[in-house]
Amino acid sequence: MAQVNGETETTETVVRRLRDGMAGGVLSFPLTSFHDDGSLDPDGFRTHVAARIATAPGAVFPACGTGEFFSLDEDEYRTVVTIAVEEAAGRVPVVAGVGYGWAQAARFARIAEEAGADALLVLPHYLVAAPQDGLVAQLEQLAARTRLPLIAYQRGQVAFTASSLKRIAAIPGVIGLKDGHSDLDRLQRLTLAAPEGFLFFNGASTAEIQARAYATVGVPAYSSAVHAFAPEIANAFFTALTDGDDKTVERLLRDFYVPFVELRDRVPGYAVSLVKAAARLRGQPVGPVRAPLTDPSAADLAELTTLLATGLDLVGAAL
């Protein structure tokens, strides 16, 4: 487990730091930088993640979905997590993604632990649907093989019932849940079933769209893909939401976030590749996406450029 101020963190310390971070800023999911030939670009990633951390997110989540975890080999993963930990330098928690089956997830967990990560985000398992007992067992197996706290991620084929939520919350080291289903009825049942102190956050693809709705069921914290390319917009939205400035929230939703989501939804994989294209437009050295993702078309890139300029103008920033 990572060290903060020279002392090894406890699970309780990680939970406290994450809770404080979630209350004070968006959760940042940096992009993984690649060269044009598809090879990892460590220097580019260091520049990118340092710039994200400099804008005071609540926590940083390297090598997760937006960071193309699925395309990284173990050596690349080690490099990415190590750089994120070095750049964070204890200022914000670092939560690394792990995934596939529990055996492979445990291999990545060992690497993240050695690299100094604070916790792990357990991405949905690969391919197959599974019953509730299996979803619980997946976390039990992984928790038994790492000292790092775990945050479960329900999305796609992973969706916990309230009774299963109680079971995973009882697993030593499981500290929270990221929700990507946006089923508020189910999510309310989960929050009511959870023990006191269990962490929840909104992990929808563009979470700002549903941030107010999530807050009504007790989940105000959220991840922000927009923070990967326009922290000025992401932070302005967070501030307006926190301050109850509905006029600014609605202006940003209407003129930036909703059109961005509509563009994102045109092509499978744009939830990552459109974000990466926007970061390149801002001069961030993130490079292209790796297959099976594809970069945006010329027409969609032109529309993205106009939309990004509009969003930045709304918060007094420039492209």
Side-chain angles (χ1 to χ4, degrees):
M1 205 173 289
Q3 290 197 340
V4 177
N5 297 324
E7 297 184 359
T8 301
E9 290 184 287
T10 64
T11 297
E12 292 75 17
T13 302
V14 173
V15 170
R16 176 182 55 76
R17 293 182 67 214
L18 282 169
R19 182 179 294 110
D20 290 348
M22 289 160 66
V26 301
L27 304 177
S28 180
F29 286 67
L31 301 154
T32 299
S33 299
F34 300 120
H35 294 292
D36 287 343
D37 65 1
S39 61
L40 184 69
D41 178 5
D43 292 338
F45 178 71
R46 186 178 294 278
T47 297
H48 173 69
V49 74
R52 302 314 95 193
I53 292 168
T55 62
V60 62
F61 289 67
C64 293
T66 306
E68 297 177 77
F69 167 79
F70 58 86
S71 77
L72 301 176
D73 66 29
E74 292 181 15
D75 289 339
E76 293 170 331
Y77 177 85
R78 182 185 299 276
T79 298
V80 166
V81 177
T82 298
I83 290 172
V85 170
E86 289 173 349
E87 293 301 322
R91 291 175 291 169
V92 296
V94 176
V95 183
V98 297
Y100 308 118
W102 63 258
Q104 289 169 294
R107 292 170 64 97
F108 284 100
R110 284 193 293 272
I111 294 169
E113 187 173 332
E114 292 166 359
D118 297 287
L120 302 171
L121 178 66
V122 185
L123 303 173
H125 64 269
Y126 174 68
L127 189 60
V128 296
Q132 292 294 307
D133 284 348
L135 298 180
V136 174
Q138 166 90 335
L139 289 169
E140 289 174 334
Q141 293 287 349
L142 180 55
R145 289 164 173 80
T146 180
R147 293 183 298 171
L148 294 180
L150 305 178
I151 298 171
Y153 186 7
Q154 64 169 19
R155 190 186 189 94
Q157 70 270 34
V158 177
F160 293 102
T161 62
S163 60
S164 293
L165 189 283
K166 291 179 181 178
R167 293 171 64 189
I168 68 169
I171 299 170
V174 176
I175 63 172
L177 178 75
K178 177 184 179 183
D179 176 70
H181 283 296
S182 303
D183 180 340
L184 297 184
D185 180 280
R186 174 188 289 267
L187 185 59
Q188 181 71 91
R189 295 169 191 267
L190 298 184
T191 61
L192 293 173
E196 184 178 358
F198 197 74
L199 302 176
F200 286 91
F201 65 92
N202 166 5
S205 293
T206 302
E208 287 91 342
I209 289 284
Q210 299 178 68
R212 290 191 291 189
Y214 268 80
T216 65
V217 295
V219 184
Y222 61 90
S223 60
S224 176
V226 171
H227 191 269
F229 63 86
E232 304 97 325
I233 299 173
N235 288 342
F237 183 90
F238 179 86
T239 298
L241 187 68
T242 302
D243 291 347
D245 181 357
D246 289 338
K247 183 177 180 180
T248 298
V249 167
E250 289 165 10
R251 183 171 66 249
L252 287 168
L253 287 174
R254 181 179 57 250
D255 296 340
F256 174 75
Y257 281 100
V258 169
F260 179 76
V261 170
E262 290 174 349
L263 179 57
R264 181 203 68 198
D265 288 347
R266 285 183 191 170
V267 177
Y270 265 18
V272 177
S273 58
L274 202 70
V275 171
K276 214 165 198 184
R280 291 195 301 271
L281 289 172
R282 301 296 309 283
Q284 286 290 308
V286 296
V289 292
R290 277 181 171 173
L293 301 180
T294 59
D295 288 316
S297 68
D300 289 343
L301 185 60
E303 188 170 337
L304 174 64
T305 303
T306 300
L307 178 59
L308 180 56
T310 296
L312 292 168
D313 185 63
L314 287 171
V315 298
L319 185 62

